[in-house]
Amino acid sequence: MNNTIFTAETQSRRVFYKFFLISLCLCVSAVIFSFPVRAQIAVKGETIWTMAGEPIMNGVVLINNGKIEAVGTAAQVKIPANYRVISAKVVTPGLIDAHTVIGLNGYLNQPHDQMALDGSSPIQPELRAIDSYNAQETLVEWVRGYGITTIHTGHQPTALVPGQTMVAKTFGKNVDEATLIPSAMINVTLGESALAGQGRSPGTRAKQIAMLRAELIKAGNYKGEPRDLKQEMWKKVLNGEIRLLVTAHRAQDIMSALRLAKEFNLKIVLDGVSEAQIVLNEIKASGFPVIVHPTMFRAGGETDNLSMETAAKLKAAGITVALQSGYEGYVPKTRIVLFEAALAAKNGMSQRDALATITIDAAKILGLDNRIGSIAVGKDADLAMYDGDPFEYVTHCTGTIINGKVVSEVLR
Amino acid sequence: MKRYFCSFLVLISLFCSAFGQEKPTAFLNARIIPIIGQPIEQGILLVQNGKITAIGDARTVRLGSDVQIIDLKGKVIMPGLIDTHSHIGEGSGADGSAPIQPDVRILDSLNARSSSLQRAQTGGITTVNVMPGSGHLDSGQTLYIKLRDGANKVDDLLIYLSDGRYAGGIKFANGTNPIRPGGGNFPGTRAKSAALVREQFIKAQEYKAKITKAGDDKTKLPPRDLAMESLADVLDGKRVVHFHTHRHDDILTVLRLQKEFGFKVVLQHVSEAWKVADEIAKAKVPSSIIMIDAPGGKLETMDVSYVNGAALEKSGALVGFHTDDYITDSRHFLRSAGVAVRAGMSRDKALYGMTMAGAIMLDMQDRIGSLEAGKDADFIVLSGDPLSVYTHVEQTWVEGKSVFNRSNPLDYLTAVGGVGATNDKLVHLDCFDGYEGGQQ
């Protein structure tokens, strides 16, 4: 910018100052806004778990305009001069929590921040998660600090059909900024935790399935007029446009889910599956993926047969498996899926497979593996950085990047 | 089947004769972390009659010819873990009739055969303070138990003190849990909670004074009052108060009560310890903390932090840990130390907190908490660094007896879970392999 030209010409002082001030403002704002928002970043990692091949030693990830621009060894990828350089011992893709309720449920556990269950009726597929999601919930910020960049969140598994799920990035001022998939799946819960009690339906397991069959048969005849929000959702289920996320812990509940899927030709994702080891072959034969209970989930009631090795056994059987933080009614109000994967790695899974349950395999189950879940050129620049093995208790998450933006730099 | 039974009897008699001779056992070649004293590489732990008789290495410990050798090359030995606050054993305490019930004993409700005790063994826990709940200002007497194997009744778990009593504390709570607005004689506010507790301790002081005044004249003794007897023990320092408390103001209330009545107290949970760590340290009161993976779940714990351990350590306060099982699973207890170190606690103090600090809090520092000659042979064998996620508890020993061995299939099932893991198993079920009802 050559201001002297303007002064040399017969421009008035006033015009000059005006122009100068505008340029100054532009420069300052460019510095302020471009740096954190649209920064070009180079992340150097002693180990980079790309989850798209073998880990890269002494690697570099270049981030430009919210996307991954390049990834490779330091020898292969030259860092341009204007890139902000961040170094970490270990770099992983941004972690994915394949099933949670945070954002709908908040950390205070008070009526005003518990939105994952409306108890008025057992079947409510029309309840959209986005209409309850609080992008600024403390628990969302909390998990972000551990490297979790995407969550599949929704209604809690304590009613037969409590509502829908959604997929969101753990960053964004509001639900619109955060949301990746506004209506991802419909929660269905089978077994003891979805019994209504007090003489209301469903009062038994058989009644749960009878009620679901009745809904699906009714929706088969639905022609779209007059509009009915429930029927619209069931119709989408029947058309294969939206999947059911079926939480089932007992072996007989898992079998019921598979029977229902077969009868109506449904696409489902199995969830929880504490007794998966009993019906491993049947799950495998169904071809459905599984979002398995947290490794540290408490055994008791319908989960009394769960195992710290469930994830490992599913993986070994060749089933696509993701881990979840799940639903917690009390303390802790949420689990950290990173820690649950760590315990899976302790209990029969390889480090890589355990990491896959919270990155690429979770992305596959959510149908988002073209955008997230691994470090590859063109994918969203979502990264987590650690000062050691991410699974070790004593390691810290040193930073989280979402859409190319450093969204957390606290040591956690 | 008779044949099996006979061979079983032979095995039993062999076992008994071996035991009767009280042969010493030497655990060799492990890295030993004794907690008191420096870690020992290629260590020797010598055990006899349920006690540690020597600890050191080949230069300092001489082995007799009759010693049984257990080679633990590549393993790590440390003291058995002490869980200072747990609800395993399905126990219960006070009922809904009153907010303060010092007469009620969890002893009278504990299920010694509960599989929850076996799960705790797999987590490396050897001594537990089992407590009644926190819905009362005082929900009754707690019990310190050893997780001995094959327990059939609560008596098999007790720890007897030199005066013949069994060891235990008493549970108190403040904050919102005991508050029941409109709940009859239960408090409606924090100030009322404190007033009700003070009232009872003042009564106990008067009860004690009457006993002192009666001296040897039994006719002048006050009528026996079970609640007052229990609180008098507290005032005499014979029964430690385990005080459930979360918020910083509630913590300070406990310190105020402690100062007024002089009882021995352990702060339990202490979710906001990091806000008043200096005050806690100055009062010389120990804290038993819990590692919870997210803040909240209830209003009082919205500011709970992993940093409590580090903050208390920095202030110079004594820090121990607890599971609060069922809040966290006893099988993951060792994780507490790792997470505390993540948040800035020193490795040494974190491991001290899992063991010796707990022993001090239960007033049993002379018997448990470290590996020293003369102490109970309560220890665990680990596959590696106690603070690593990949490390497994492989063996748990209580008073010189193996109570958990990960290589045993039934023990393994209890440790990792699976079909049948939480069924209360027959004690020594594995001894009866081949038994078919009525055919023996």
Side-chain angles (χ1 to χ4, degrees):
Chain A
M1 178 130 340
N2 195 344
N3 289 324
T4 53
I5 293 170
F6 289 86
T7 47
E9 312 243 340
T10 54
Q11 300 290 336
S12 74
R13 268 176 185 271
R14 206 174 145 171
V15 170
F16 166 69
Y17 278 123
K18 208 172 178 179
F19 190 81
F20 178 76
L21 280 174
I22 289 168
S23 352
L24 193 70
C25 285
L26 280 174
C27 289
V28 168
S29 56
V31 167
I32 289 173
F33 292 110
S34 77
F35 186 58
V37 180
R38 298 173 60 85
Q40 293 160 315
I41 301 173
V43 177
K44 291 165 73 175
E46 289 178 22
T47 304
I48 298 179
W49 287 91
T50 64
M51 303 312 286
E54 289 304 303
I56 299 170
M57 300 300 152
N58 290 319
V60 175
V61 184
L62 293 187
I63 295 170
N64 193 359
N65 208 15
K67 299 284 176 188
I68 292 166
E69 183 181 35
V71 54
T73 61
Q76 294 162 333
V77 180
K78 290 281 166 264
I79 300 173
N82 56 336
Y83 279 50
R84 178 187 171 191
V85 177
I86 301 172
S87 296
K89 265 232 156 64
V90 178
V91 179
T92 71
L95 307 183
I96 301 168
D97 185 343
H99 184 193
T100 179
V101 294
I102 64 168
L104 278 77
N105 277 356
Y107 83 127
L108 297 177
N109 214 7
Q110 298 298 304
H112 76 270
D113 77 343
Q114 300 304 292
M115 296 295 144
L117 182 73
D118 171 80
S120 63
S121 161
I123 299 185
Q124 306 195 68
E126 71 277 22
L127 302 189
R128 299 186 301 193
I130 49 168
D131 295 322
S132 282
Y133 185 73
N134 174 9
Q136 302 203 13
E137 161 57 37
T138 297
L139 292 178
V140 175
E141 184 274 334
W142 181 250
V143 302
R144 182 167 72 222
Y146 289 95
I148 294 152
T149 55
T150 302
I151 53 174
H152 177 216
T153 188
H155 291 84
Q156 72 193 40
T158 56
L160 185 56
V161 186
Q164 301 172 19
T165 68
M166 63 185 281
V167 180
K169 293 276 177 92
T170 55
F171 193 69
K173 283 194 299 291
N174 56 50
V175 62
D176 291 340
E177 281 184 19
T179 301
L180 286 178
I181 306 176
S183 184
M185 300 184 202
I186 294 174
N187 291 104
V188 174
T189 319
L190 302 180
E192 289 143 54
S193 53
L195 296 177
Q198 296 170 333
R200 289 179 296 128
S201 290
T204 63
R205 291 185 148 88
K207 185 71 176 180
Q208 289 176 341
I209 300 301
M211 289 168 79
L212 290 172
R213 293 179 69 218
E215 289 292 319
L216 289 163
I217 288 166
K218 199 163 83 181
N221 301 321
Y222 176 63
K223 301 282 183 270
E225 290 293 336
R227 279 193 71 184
D228 179 319
L229 293 177
K230 277 191 211 300
Q231 304 272 343
E232 282 180 10
M233 288 316 293
W234 288 127
K235 194 84 187 175
K236 284 186 182 180
V237 171
L238 287 171
N239 292 343
E241 292 169 46
I242 189 164
R243 290 177 292 171
L244 300 182
L245 177 66
V246 186
T247 304
H249 286 285
R250 292 281 190 208
Q252 72 259 44
D253 295 322
I254 299 170
M255 291 309 293
S256 294
L258 298 182
R259 198 180 308 118
L260 191 74
K262 200 169 177 189
E263 179 178 357
F264 294 96
N265 195 27
L266 306 177
K267 288 180 187 166
I268 68 171
V269 175
L270 287 170
D271 179 87
V273 296
S274 290
E275 292 187 353
Q277 293 190 42
I278 298 176
V279 289
L280 214 46
N281 293 336
E282 288 79 359
I283 295 173
K284 166 79 174 157
S286 76
F288 295 129
V290 173
I291 303 176
V292 67
H293 63 78
T295 318
M296 291 187 277
F297 210 44
R298 298 177 190 89
E302 63 182 342
T303 64
D304 61 0
N305 286 329
L306 64 74
S307 163
M308 297 177 203
E309 295 176 341
T310 313
K313 294 268 164 70
L314 288 162
K315 180 74 188 180
I319 296 161
T320 305
V321 55
L323 265 162
Q324 63 175 307
S325 62
Y327 158 68
E328 291 292 336
Y330 188 46
V331 173
K333 195 56 191 163
T334 188
R335 295 175 179 279
I336 310 293
V337 79
L338 169 66
F339 298 160
E340 304 302 329
L343 267 287
K346 174 184 185 158
N347 288 285
M349 262 191 158
S350 70
Q351 258 178 320
R352 192 202 178 280
D353 286 348
L355 193 55
T357 66
I358 53 171
T359 55
I360 188 64
D361 289 350
K364 282 180 188 158
I365 292 175
L366 299 179
L368 284 167
D369 50 318
N370 60 335
R371 268 190 79 172
I372 58 173
S374 64
I375 303 174
V377 174
K379 280 196 165 183
D380 290 4
D382 297 351
L383 300 179
M385 292 164 283
Y386 301 90
D387 58 7
D389 175 353
F391 289 154
E392 283 288 12
Y393 299 138
V394 297
T395 294
H396 305 96
C397 178
T398 55
T400 308
I401 294 174
I402 296 179
N403 296 336
K405 244 172 107 169
V406 178
V407 295
S408 171
E409 282 184 285
V410 292
L411 206 66
R412 211 170 251 176
Chain B
M1 287 302 120
K2 211 162 211 156
R3 201 157 48 97
Y4 285 104
F5 190 63
C6 290
S7 55
F8 172 68
L9 285 181
V10 171
L11 274 173
I12 284 281
S13 57
L14 275 174
F15 179 77
C16 289
S17 64
F19 187 71
Q21 286 172 19
E22 310 282 0
K23 268 192 185 174
T25 307
F27 298 84
L28 299 188
N29 295 325
R31 174 169 206 262
I32 301 179
I33 305 173
I35 301 298
I36 302 292
Q38 289 304 307
I40 307 161
E41 307 300 332
Q42 307 286 316
I44 298 176
L45 183 71
L46 199 61
V47 171
Q48 191 172 22
N49 296 336
K51 298 278 180 189
I52 297 166
T53 51
I55 178 169
D57 58 23
R59 288 166 303 174
T60 55
V61 179
R62 280 186 62 88
L63 300 179
S65 56
D66 62 337
V67 69
Q68 277 188 314
I69 304 284
I70 296 179
D71 188 357
L72 294 172
K73 193 173 168 56
K75 310 294 182 191
V76 173
I77 294 179
M78 67 177 280
L81 309 182
I82 298 174
D83 185 352
T84 42
H85 181 158
S86 177
H87 301 290
I88 57 173
E90 304 151 26
S92 56
D95 65 8
S97 62
I100 299 179
Q101 303 185 36
D103 48 334
V104 174
R105 306 180 298 192
I106 198 170
L107 166 87
D108 299 310
S109 69
L110 215 64
N111 174 12
R113 296 173 61 104
S114 168
S115 61
S116 58
L117 303 186
Q118 292 160 357
R119 282 204 294 282
Q121 290 172 335
T122 75
I125 299 169
T126 53
T127 303
V128 187
N129 176 22
V130 281
M131 304 244 264
S134 53
H136 296 70
L137 296 171
D138 165 23
S139 57
Q141 298 171 25
T142 81
L143 196 61
Y144 305 159
I145 59 172
K146 282 282 187 92
L147 294 179
R148 301 185 186 101
D149 216 18
N152 230 353
K153 50 194 188 298
V154 70
D155 310 62
D156 299 335
L157 303 167
L158 299 180
I159 302 167
Y160 284 97
L161 305 172
S162 52
D163 61 2
R165 295 181 310 138
Y166 54 83
I170 191 164
K171 173 79 175 276
F172 274 73
N174 67 10
T176 54
N177 283 17
I179 290 178
R180 304 184 194 179
N185 49 5
F186 278 72
T189 64
R190 289 179 151 87
K192 181 73 174 182
S193 298
L196 288 172
V197 169
R198 292 181 66 221
E199 196 180 7
Q200 288 305 310
F201 274 115
I202 287 164
K203 273 192 193 168
Q205 284 175 331
E206 290 164 0
Y207 183 78
K208 258 187 66 175
K210 280 182 197 161
I211 292 172
T212 311
K213 201 176 164 198
D216 294 333
D217 185 355
K218 285 190 175 161
T219 62
K220 291 203 171 127
L221 280 173
R224 265 192 87 179
D225 181 323
L226 292 178
M228 287 301 118
E229 273 181 12
S230 171
L231 290 184
D233 275 355
V234 171
L235 291 173
D236 287 340
K238 289 185 193 165
R239 190 173 283 285
V240 174
V241 177
H242 295 279
F243 220 124
H244 158 116
T245 183
H246 286 293
R247 242 169 55 175
H248 70 285
D249 50 338
D250 290 326
I251 298 168
L252 295 179
T253 299
V254 177
L255 299 183
R256 201 179 306 117
L257 290 170
Q258 190 277 331
K259 201 170 174 190
E260 181 175 359
F261 297 103
F263 48 69
K264 280 189 187 172
V265 68
V266 174
L267 302 172
Q268 294 282 350
H269 306 320
V270 230
S271 297
E272 292 188 352
W274 59 273
K275 295 183 183 176
V276 287
D278 287 341
E279 287 80 355
I280 293 170
K282 200 172 154 219
K284 296 190 169 22
V285 161
S287 295
S288 172
I289 61 173
I290 180 167
M291 293 291 131
I292 295 290
D293 286 350
K298 54 193 270 186
L299 285 174
E300 284 183 319
T301 58
M302 59 190 284
D303 283 346
V304 69
S305 173
Y306 287 150
V307 89
N308 278 336
L312 288 163
E313 179 187 355
K314 197 172 161 219
S315 295
L318 185 67
V319 187
F321 296 94
H322 64 266
T323 61
D324 201 7
D325 194 334
Y326 178 86
I327 295 295
T328 66
D329 190 326
S330 296
R331 294 177 295 182
H332 303 305
F333 187 38
L334 194 48
R335 178 174 181 265
S336 314
V339 176
V341 170
R342 182 191 198 108
M345 204 172 180
S346 71
R347 290 176 64 97
D348 286 352
K349 281 293 182 205
L351 293 180
Y352 187 89
M354 299 297 297
T355 54
M356 195 59 203
I360 294 168
M361 289 179 201
L362 305 186
D363 245 349
M364 291 200 289
Q365 58 272 31
D366 298 334
R367 289 174 66 166
I368 56 173
S370 63
L371 300 178
E372 295 175 273
K375 279 197 165 180
D376 292 358
D378 296 355
F379 60 94
I380 56 178
V381 178
L382 304 173
S383 59
D385 178 4
L387 297 180
S388 169
V389 68
Y390 303 108
T391 295
H392 286 290
V393 176
E394 294 190 342
Q395 300 173 26
T396 305
W397 294 73
V398 174
E399 293 164 356
K401 292 200 179 69
S402 167
V403 300
F404 164 70
N405 193 321
R406 202 174 154 89
S407 64
N408 173 326
L410 266 180
D411 284 359
Y412 184 86
L413 180 65
T414 308
V416 305
V419 178
T422 57
N423 295 345
D424 290 349
K425 290 188 286 286
L426 280 173
V427 174
H428 298 316
L429 181 70
D430 41 338
C431 292
F432 287 94
D433 270 352
Y435 169 80
E436 288 165 32
Q439 290 181 30
Q440 65 189 74

